[in-house]
Structure formats: C-alpha cells, structure tokens
Amino acid sequence: MSREFLSGNEAFAYGIRLAAPQVISAYPITPQTIVVERLSEMVEDKSLKSEFIHVESEHSALSCAIGASATGVRTFTATSSQGLLYMAECLVYASGGRYPIVMMNANRSTALPWNIYGDQRDSLSLLDCGWIQAYAKDAQESLDLAILSYYIAEHPKVSTPFMVNLDGFHLTHTYEMVEVPESELVKNFLSDYNTDNKIDFENPKNIAFSAGPEHNFAFKYKEHIGILNAKEIISEAEQKFAPLFGREYSGLVEAYRCDDAEYILITLGSIFGLCSDVADELRNEGVKTGVLRLRYMRPFPNKEIADIARNAKAVAVLEKDISFGNEGSVYTNVNSALQKAGLSVPSLNFIGGLGGRDISEEDIREIFNKLSQGKTAVHFIGIEEGAII
Amino acid sequence: MNVNANTLNEDEFFYGHKACAGCGGSLAVRIALKVLGKRAVAVLPAGCMSAVGFNFPQLCFANNAIISTFAGTASMLTGIEAGLRAKGITDFVAVGFAGDGGTADIGIQALSGAIDRDDNILYICYDNEAYMNTGVQKSSLTPFGAKTTTTPAGGNVRGNLRPKKNMFEIVAAHGIKYAATASIGYLPDYMKKVQHASEIKGTKYIHVIAPCPTGWGIAPDESVEIAKEAVDCGLWILAEYENGIFSVNTKPKNLSALRTHIKKQGRFKHLTDEDIDHIESLRDSKWENGGQ
C-alpha cells in the first residue's frame, strides 16, 4: 500500500489500473478528462495492459465497450453530462444485454444553458436505464468503488453495468490523501471476468437479439432481478473487501448520527462531509440531527431509508437535481420508500447546486431550520419561494 | 486458394430467415459469410438483416453474430476486435453488414472513426438505396429520381432530387487500407473482394449494390439481373482502392441499356425522358472522372 495525494479523477484512474480492464474506450469531456489522460499514460508506460480505443464519440465509446464485453473481457469507459446523454441509447443496450461494463461519470450540469460545473441532473435523469448507480463521497471511496464495482457488476447473479458517479470538480478535481492498495491484494479480491454471455467459436451464438411481446417481458423482468440482486452482492463484496483493504463500507447507504436523530438530511455525493459537519454543530446546539447518504440510487435503498427515518420528526432531501414540472428525482424515490413502509414522516425537498453553485454551510443550516418547521414543499436553495425570475 | 462457385463453402451460415423473396441484401450476407467461414463474427445494426434474422428464439446465424445499435456497427466491430485480440485470439474476421442508411447516414461517424484508427475490421455496406426495413424511406444513398415513401413522386416533385452520396470515395479519402464496390449481379467478383479484404490487416470497406424487389418495384426473380444491369450500363462502377490507388475493374458493356434498366423499376416509372437524360449525364460525368 502507498499513500498518494490524488484528485478524485486520478484516484479513480488508479483504481481502474488495479482492476485492469482489458479494453478501455473513451472520449474526452470536462470534467472527466483527467481519468482518460491518466489511463492513457498508464497504458503508454505499460503499468496498465489494456487496449485503449480512442473513439470519435461517446456513443461509440459505449458501443465499443459493449462489443468488447460481448467477447468476455473486462471493459471500462468514462464520461460526463452531454456525453452521458449522447450515449443514452447505448446505456439501455448495455444493461439489456447484461454487459457488466464499468463507467465513471463525472456529474456535470446539462445544457442549455451550457455549463461545465457539477450537478447531478445528468445521471439522475437516467435512473431508469438499468445501470447500477453509485455516488462517491471522496477520492478514497472513488478508488475503492473502481475496484468494488467490477466485483458487483460481473457477479453472475448481477451481470449489470455499473456507473460510478463523482461530483464534477468538487470531487473530480479536489486533491486528498488516498491509500492506494497493492495490485496483489486486488488480484486476491477480484477474480478474472468469467461469463457465458459472450462470443464463443466452439459454440457460436446469436446475441443481442430481438424479442417480441411474447418473450420481451421475461428478459426485462430478469434484468430487474439482476439489479436487485446487486444489493446482496454489494454487501458480500464489502464484507470481503474490509479485512483485505482495511476500509469498511456500509452498503446502499451511509448513516451519520442518525440513530436518535429527529431531523435527518438525506443526500448523495461529496456534499455529505459538509452536511455531517453542520449536523455536528447543530448537535452541539442541542438539535438532534443526522445525515443519511445514499451511496446507491440503483438498486434503491428503500428498506434502509425507511428503517433509519422511522422515528424521525422530519426528513429533508438535498439534491443537485430537478425533474422539471415535478420535484427532485431523489425526493420522489425517498418518498416512495417512506410510503411503502407505511411511514408518514414529513419530507421536504431542497434543490441546490445546479450548474455548480456552491452549497454553503449556512444553506445546510437553513435546511435543518426549515425542516423543524415541518412544511412539505420543494425549495430551491438561494431562490425565494414563489419567485418569478 | 481463390474462392469461386466450385470452391465456395457448402455450409450455410445465414438461413431460415424471413427476408423477402429476391432480397439482394440477404444474398450479400449469405455469400460473404460462406467466403469468411465460421471464424467470422458478424455485426448487424438495426435494419433489414437483423430484423429478418434475429428474432428470439428463431436465430438464424450459424456463426457468432450480434446486433449493434443503428449508429454503432463500426464501433461495435472495433470493440469485438479489440476484445478478442486482448484475449490473444487472432484467427477471426470481425465483419459488419450494414445497409445504406446505417452506413452513409446514421453510422458514418463511427465508420469514419474506425477507418481513422485503422481498426482491423471488414465493413460491408449492402446498399438497397433506401430505408427498406421501415418501408422505403429516402437515405443519402437513394439515387436521383427514385420514388420513396418520403420522396413521393407527385405533380410538384418527381421523387428524390439529390444524387447518391459517393461512399466509396468518402471512405477512400480516409486513406483506408482497402475499399471496393461490388454487385450481387457479379458474385464471383464480390466473393473475390471479400476474400481479399479478409486477408488484409486494417480497415476494409466493401460497398455492394443489393436490389430490394419490394422497394425498387421489380419482380423477386429480377434482383440479380437488375444488379448486373446496373454495372453493365455504367450506373454502378466496380472498382477498388488499395495502397492509395484507384482501379476500375470492368468497363460498361452497354451504356445505351440505361434507359430500359431504369424503366424496368417501379421506383423510376414516373420519370420523364429529361429526368433520365439527367441520370445519364450524372453517369457520364462519373466515367469522365475516371470512374470515380
């Protein structure tokens, strides 16, 4: 093990080198570019043995990865924002074909207006694509997810592509001390990708076929079960990971001081650290606050949210997303979890950080403040309620 | 060994499919796979050949075959080639079969990217000159004057107003390792080109004209003859591009047959004599350019 000062992007690239995909196809886009640059350098200096394909678009990046995955090799791609949307057709293709491709997505706002900074509308608008979606909080978790993701995605009970999301700039470009594990350790943890879902010269196959109304439903149901199975395999992977690497992860969610919390802020990504700091301050002031981080949006932690929010007086959902004409997508999902569990905990939605706007400590204090007043509504941080602009 | 009618593989790799009677595209796929054999990995985008041959549980390729996204024939070929090579497998041919729309319209970006990288793939465009799978809509390879469902022939407009995009030259302009045109009317020439292409390392492109009786308004038993005539009357030029040099393979046998060739096809029935004169002039200017 070594300790290195790395950005989120670099940490992810280090993790990918350890996971050693045989084919990488990628197209550059801010703020993901550092990942593909580092991986290119690693291929050049032979510290990573991988076919690096310089594709001419994101659509081709994922299409190429699907082709490679169909030969039974480990594959990687990375993108962001418009690039993710451009490859959307291939997203459903990869999941429908059950190809366990790992992709890093640098969460970035989507045009129009053009904006290169971080929010989460790109990936959250694609929750229904059949991909596992994880959201990292820091560079260390980014590196670890690069390794864990292959274990989970390639597991035969899962066979589902895996999108690891890093907040654009806030995480992709922020440097931290990161523990980089030895490659021998990773080899012990992650076995080679082994599948029957591939081209086979001994027993030729017709794959990625059409299926009409009679059979289509069954394929889609199996796809759903595959991604649900990821819950169990995420837990299995983390249990195996902890003793080897000395770091523990807590499955679909990470709860901070939620046990006796009256007010819980539910969020995702790199804002978790700041939210936890504010929760600490408020605890010192006598307010029982906690923070629940959704590490995964798919599969969705329905049970975990309900279990943790059960005794809360109110929950807030803070997200860098808006489903125009309704509310934040995370909020919709959280409310569904509460409702299915028969809970009537009041919930508020806070939309923040769109187009990369900072969410301040004061903003988070204000969320908890509004939460204790118990109004159910969608709030846009920094915009007056009902404002007409 | 040079492949010909006597030496052609008796095994079938594409059978039991639901292509229309007389389908030129299915003949192009069938014959190419016979030449390439069981080590071919076929990529087919959305289009006629995937629609007729790839419906679970009736799957009709005897070799490994996969459907790609419509725009992704070339990029998926690239991925397959890279994946197999990463596994140390080298004795295979990654071959794509895309229609004219899948090649010259929606798939041209990925194709251009693959040629630019000189990926070791064989891309075969079976050109039936319109989006036939969706019911005969204009593509950029639909010729001047052709009636399609999106370029109807009425009192104001007489079918498609634009000439056919020249994919052969576009591909050659990339400096591709090997490019060729072919016709299902001249199968020995097509087979020879497929075989030659499969022996070259790098990107190869073959553009085979493949009439569609349904879309062209011809009888099912006429498609081979029509494809032959297209070459004989100089409308479709059999040519190759290799090592930076263009070569024309055949001279037209009967330039004056153009008029009857056009008139035989339902899609051109509405054309006036002046329209056919224009088609003739388009043809002649190509030949004046050395067949390019």
Side-chain angles (χ1 to χ4, degrees):
Chain A
M1 190 206 57
S2 63
R3 281 176 68 79
E4 302 206 29
F5 194 53
L6 300 175
S7 68
N9 271 337
E10 287 175 340
F12 204 88
Y14 274 59
I16 291 300
R17 173 161 62 184
L18 290 163
Q22 290 129 298
V23 175
I24 298 171
S25 54
Y27 187 79
I29 179 169
T30 302
Q32 151 267 37
T33 35
I34 309 292
V35 184
V36 292
E37 288 173 3
R38 291 296 169 272
L39 289 171
S40 303
E41 290 161 12
M42 291 168 186
V43 171
E44 189 281 328
D45 70 19
K46 297 191 174 172
S47 62
L48 171 60
K49 191 173 180 298
S50 185
E51 299 296 333
F52 193 107
I53 317 286
H54 305 93
V55 285
E56 78 300 325
S57 74
E58 288 90 355
H59 189 283
S60 284
L62 193 48
S63 170
C64 177
I66 293 167
S69 189
T71 70
V73 301
R74 181 167 293 162
T75 53
F76 176 71
T77 186
T79 192
S80 178
S81 180
Q82 307 298 121
L84 183 69
L85 298 181
Y86 189 42
M87 61 167 66
E89 178 196 19
C90 298
L91 289 177
V92 291
Y93 215 86
S95 53
R98 311 300 298 274
Y99 297 115
I101 297 157
V102 169
M103 167 159 62
M104 194 206 91
N105 179 54
N107 278 129
R108 167 185 147 179
S109 187
T110 54
L112 283 170
W114 280 98
N115 182 298
I116 59 164
Y117 301 103
D119 68 35
Q120 296 157 338
R121 293 201 305 109
D122 54 357
S123 57
L124 288 174
S125 71
L126 294 164
L127 281 175
D128 297 345
C129 280
W131 283 57
I132 296 168
Q133 281 201 13
Y135 291 78
K137 67 172 175 183
D138 57 22
Q140 184 69 63
E141 191 182 24
S142 302
L143 184 148
D144 291 343
L145 274 170
I147 299 162
L148 282 159
S149 57
Y150 282 107
Y151 185 103
I152 298 155
E154 292 173 358
H155 193 287
K157 285 172 88 169
V158 179
S159 286
T160 298
F162 198 124
M163 185 193 303
V164 185
N165 292 282
L166 276 66
D167 280 313
F169 293 105
H170 285 109
L171 179 46
T172 58
H173 285 60
T174 304
Y175 282 76
E176 299 169 45
M177 287 307 293
V178 175
E179 290 190 2
V180 181
E182 295 298 327
S183 64
E184 280 308 309
L185 206 56
V186 177
K187 278 182 191 140
N188 289 337
F189 173 74
L190 193 61
S191 45
D192 289 344
Y193 176 39
N194 190 10
T195 181
D196 291 332
N197 184 22
K198 66 177 179 194
I199 286 161
D200 180 350
F201 288 106
E202 298 307 312
N203 177 27
K205 287 184 181 152
N206 289 198
I207 46 182
F209 40 69
S210 304
E214 192 187 346
H215 299 287
N216 199 288
F217 211 120
F219 283 110
K220 291 292 125 185
Y221 181 70
K222 280 174 71 118
E223 193 180 329
H224 180 57
I225 296 300
I227 197 164
L228 285 179
N229 286 344
K231 290 185 188 185
E232 175 199 338
I233 306 306
I234 288 165
S235 170
E236 177 188 306
E238 290 172 353
Q239 279 170 29
K240 202 174 153 191
F241 186 88
L244 283 171
F245 297 85
R247 283 183 296 282
E248 289 189 12
Y249 289 103
S250 52
L252 302 184
V253 298
E254 179 180 0
Y256 182 73
R257 302 186 82 167
C258 286
D259 283 350
D260 63 340
E262 293 178 346
Y263 300 103
I264 297 175
L265 172 55
I266 300 174
T267 192
L268 63 169
S270 59
I271 195 78
F272 176 70
L274 188 62
C275 293
S276 303
D277 288 348
V278 173
D280 284 342
E281 287 169 17
L282 290 168
R283 285 254 175 191
N284 289 339
E285 294 165 21
V287 191
K288 287 186 176 175
T289 52
V291 183
L292 180 65
R293 178 170 72 98
L294 307 183
R295 295 186 66 229
Y296 286 84
M297 278 300 293
R298 290 290 182 273
F300 192 68
N302 284 291
K303 184 178 176 300
E304 291 79 358
I305 290 168
D307 286 349
I308 288 165
R310 191 169 298 278
N311 298 314
K313 284 187 178 164
V315 299
V317 175
L318 167 62
E319 59 189 297
K320 300 174 182 175
D321 171 58
I322 172 71
S323 176
F324 299 108
N326 190 26
E327 58 202 15
S329 301
V330 183
Y331 182 62
T332 307
N333 280 261
V334 166
N335 281 337
S336 165
L338 298 175
Q339 192 275 336
K340 281 177 288 193
L343 302 177
S344 54
V345 186
S347 66
L348 273 67
N349 192 197
F350 294 86
I351 312 295
L354 298 186
R357 182 183 286 194
D358 273 342
I359 300 172
S360 69
E361 208 174 308
E362 211 35 57
D363 291 332
I364 296 165
R365 277 183 159 267
E366 183 58 20
I367 290 172
F368 280 112
N369 190 29
K370 281 197 169 125
L371 194 54
S372 60
Q373 295 165 18
K375 271 201 247 166
T376 303
V378 179
H379 304 263
F380 284 77
I381 295 174
I383 293 181
E384 210 176 305
E385 213 162 296
I388 297 163
I389 300 173
Chain B
M1 184 174 66
N2 283 337
V3 65
N4 58 44
N6 294 321
T7 61
L8 191 62
N9 195 339
E10 286 186 8
D11 292 341
E12 295 292 344
F13 297 93
F14 183 48
Y15 63 94
H17 56 75
K18 299 187 279 192
C20 307
C23 169
S26 64
L27 182 59
V29 174
R30 175 176 166 240
I31 295 298
L33 287 177
K34 278 173 164 286
V35 174
L36 299 172
K38 63 183 176 188
R39 302 293 291 184
V41 180
V43 174
L44 302 101
C48 284
M49 289 310 107
S50 57
V52 303
F54 241 121
N55 296 291
F56 179 85
Q58 291 170 295
L59 304 165
C60 65
F61 285 87
N63 57 307
N64 285 292
I66 182 167
I67 306 184
S68 72
T69 57
F70 204 0
T73 311
S75 48
M76 185 173 267
L77 282 167
T78 296
I80 286 169
E81 194 279 331
L84 291 174
R85 186 156 39 84
K87 293 169 79 162
I89 299 170
T90 51
D91 57 335
F92 68 93
V93 181
V95 58
F97 295 103
D100 43 291
T103 300
D105 290 342
I106 196 168
I108 196 167
Q109 175 178 307
L111 173 60
S112 177
I115 304 171
D116 172 55
R117 294 184 298 270
D118 197 25
D119 293 335
N120 189 21
I121 62 171
L122 169 55
Y123 190 110
I124 298 179
C125 169
Y126 65 93
D127 181 4
N128 52 28
E129 302 194 323
Y131 290 92
M132 297 311 187
N133 185 43
T134 42
V136 199
Q137 293 86 25
K138 177 210 180 304
S139 79
S140 60
L141 294 186
T142 301
F144 169 82
K147 181 180 78 173
T148 71
T149 53
T150 50
T151 54
N156 298 310
V157 180
R158 295 190 300 280
N160 178 37
L161 299 175
R162 294 285 302 150
K164 195 176 169 72
K165 197 191 269 186
N166 192 333
M167 274 307 293
F168 177 57
E169 270 191 64
I170 290 167
V171 162
H174 287 70
I176 193 171
K177 284 276 160 57
Y178 177 75
T181 58
S183 163
I184 63 146
Y186 284 95
L187 284 179
D189 173 75
Y190 173 57
M191 293 190 287
K192 197 181 80 192
K193 286 169 175 169
V194 171
Q195 186 185 29
H196 181 59
S198 73
E199 290 160 356
I200 296 167
K201 192 165 180 291
T203 313
K204 290 82 62 177
Y205 176 85
I206 297 176
H207 193 126
V208 55
I209 202 83
C212 165
T214 314
W216 289 24
I218 56 173
D221 62 358
E222 286 177 327
S223 46
V224 171
E225 191 55 32
I226 289 280
K228 198 165 177 293
E229 280 177 18
V231 174
D232 294 345
C233 74
L235 267 182
W236 186 245
I237 299 165
L238 299 184
E240 287 170 296
Y241 172 88
E242 192 172 7
N243 300 323
I245 295 163
F246 286 98
S247 54
V248 175
N249 305 132
T250 52
K251 291 273 176 235
K253 289 176 185 159
N254 187 2
L255 286 171
S256 62
L258 181 138
R259 204 159 286 268
T260 50
H261 170 71
I262 292 290
K263 282 285 183 195
K264 268 186 198 171
Q265 302 172 46
R267 60 177 176 159
F268 294 124
K269 276 271 183 324
H270 57 283
L271 294 187
T272 61
D273 284 346
E274 291 75 38
D275 292 329
I276 298 175
D277 288 345
H278 181 61
I279 292 172
E280 213 161 36
S281 72
L282 286 172
R283 175 199 68 184
D284 293 346
S285 67
K286 270 190 110 179
W287 282 102
E288 280 156 22
N289 278 335
Q292 287 170 42

